[in-house]
Amino acid sequence: MLKTVLITGASRGIGAATAEVFAENGWTVIINYNSSGEKAHALAEKTGGFAVKADVSDPVQTEEMINAVIEKYGKIDALVNNAGISVTGLFDLVSDDDARRIFDVNVFGTLNCTRKVLPHMLKRRYGKIINISSMWGQTGGSCEVHYSAAKAAVIGFTKALAKETGSAGINVNCVAPGMVMTDMTACYTGEEVEEIKEEIPLGRCGEPRDIAETVYFLATEKASFITGQVIGINGGMVI
């Protein structure tokens, strides 16, 4: 039976690239989206997967999504908590609504999906959970204080859950991307991107597929002895 992966926020960027890599390796791919339905369904058609709408920050919608996937496929072998948003600005100028939304999606979205998937993995004593953090979750980023704090929470969540579920055969790991060219980084000017490149030892920004390949590796049996780890994919910008 084909293995099944649920990827949140998978309609574009890192999520979409991850869906493509899993599909290329013979997995059944469930593509979660919230607002980008057209892109998600196009990707589902391309990968032979299944697009499902849910706001991961809403526990009710999340539960309905997980139930629909289990009913259709019977199992979820891997969960990739990729859905995330960011707001750039000085800490004291970010609105309460924006701050709350950052934590709702990045932190509670990860917790909600994991909480609903975990019982099915525990029952089978098997599962791979890969959370997407950020290098700013490791080091903190000026003018991205709320985002940095939320992504740091994802790292702490990863480490704690890995300890809690390891004896049940479940691997929990985290990927911390650096500067990756996606819609989230489109706010940077060309000049700013060039300045950032100068800080990266490998001399370039990352592409979504750079992240996707590592996420896929962590979902395979080749990574069966890896859990509770934070893998930085940043071209050497954070060492």
Side-chain angles (χ1 to χ4, degrees):
M1 182 182 293
L2 295 179
K3 287 193 172 183
T4 302
V5 58
L6 168 61
I7 307 168
T8 67
S11 62
R12 55 189 179 176
I14 291 171
T18 301
E20 292 175 355
V21 169
F22 273 88
E24 289 166 8
N25 284 278
W27 287 57
T28 297
V29 180
I30 298 96
I31 298 159
N32 160 257
Y33 70 96
N34 185 24
S35 58
S36 302
E38 186 175 338
K39 291 182 179 180
H41 285 283
L43 182 61
E45 183 175 349
K46 177 181 178 181
T47 60
F50 173 58
V52 56
K53 185 180 188 304
D55 180 348
V56 296
S57 70
D58 184 333
V60 174
Q61 292 187 41
T62 302
E63 184 171 19
E64 291 173 349
M65 173 179 67
I66 301 303
N67 289 344
V69 173
I70 294 297
E71 183 177 350
K72 185 175 180 66
Y73 297 106
K75 64 189 176 86
I76 297 175
D77 294 290
L79 168 65
V80 180
N81 286 306
N82 169 74
I85 60 171
S86 175
V87 174
T88 302
L90 293 172
F91 170 69
D92 58 337
L93 297 182
V94 174
S95 71
D96 290 341
D97 286 344
D98 281 344
R100 188 170 294 106
R101 184 63 179 161
I102 288 172
F103 276 82
D104 280 347
V105 175
N106 291 288
V107 181
F108 287 100
T110 296
L111 269 62
N112 289 337
C113 290
T114 305
R115 183 182 292 114
K116 301 304 179 183
V117 169
L118 194 57
H120 301 284
M121 291 183 171
L122 290 172
K123 185 177 180 179
R124 296 174 61 215
R125 297 187 65 79
Y126 179 86
K128 310 287 185 178
I129 299 171
I130 302 102
N131 302 316
I132 308 300
S133 180
S134 166
M135 67 177 178
W136 298 137
Q138 296 175 293
T139 68
S142 175
C143 293
E144 293 199 62
V145 173
H146 295 87
Y147 179 75
S148 298
K151 289 302 189 179
V154 170
I155 290 174
F157 170 73
T158 298
K159 293 181 177 182
L161 190 65
K163 292 180 178 180
E164 188 171 308
T165 61
S167 62
I170 297 169
N171 300 74
V172 187
N173 287 293
C174 185
V175 169
M179 179 66 174
V180 180
M181 303 310 295
T182 65
D183 290 349
M184 191 177 287
T185 56
C187 61
Y188 292 96
T189 66
E191 183 178 347
E192 288 171 333
V193 170
E194 290 304 313
E195 290 176 357
I196 291 171
K197 285 181 182 179
E198 292 179 4
E199 299 179 36
I200 302 173
L202 289 183
R204 70 173 178 88
C205 294
E207 296 295 333
R209 190 155 186 123
D210 292 322
I211 314 304
E213 294 285 0
T214 300
V215 172
Y216 174 70
F217 167 73
L218 290 171
T220 69
E221 295 314 300
K222 292 181 179 179
S224 63
F225 199 53
I226 300 174
T227 198
Q229 302 304 306
V230 182
I231 299 179
I233 310 174
N234 53 57
M237 191 171 180
V238 175
I239 296 178

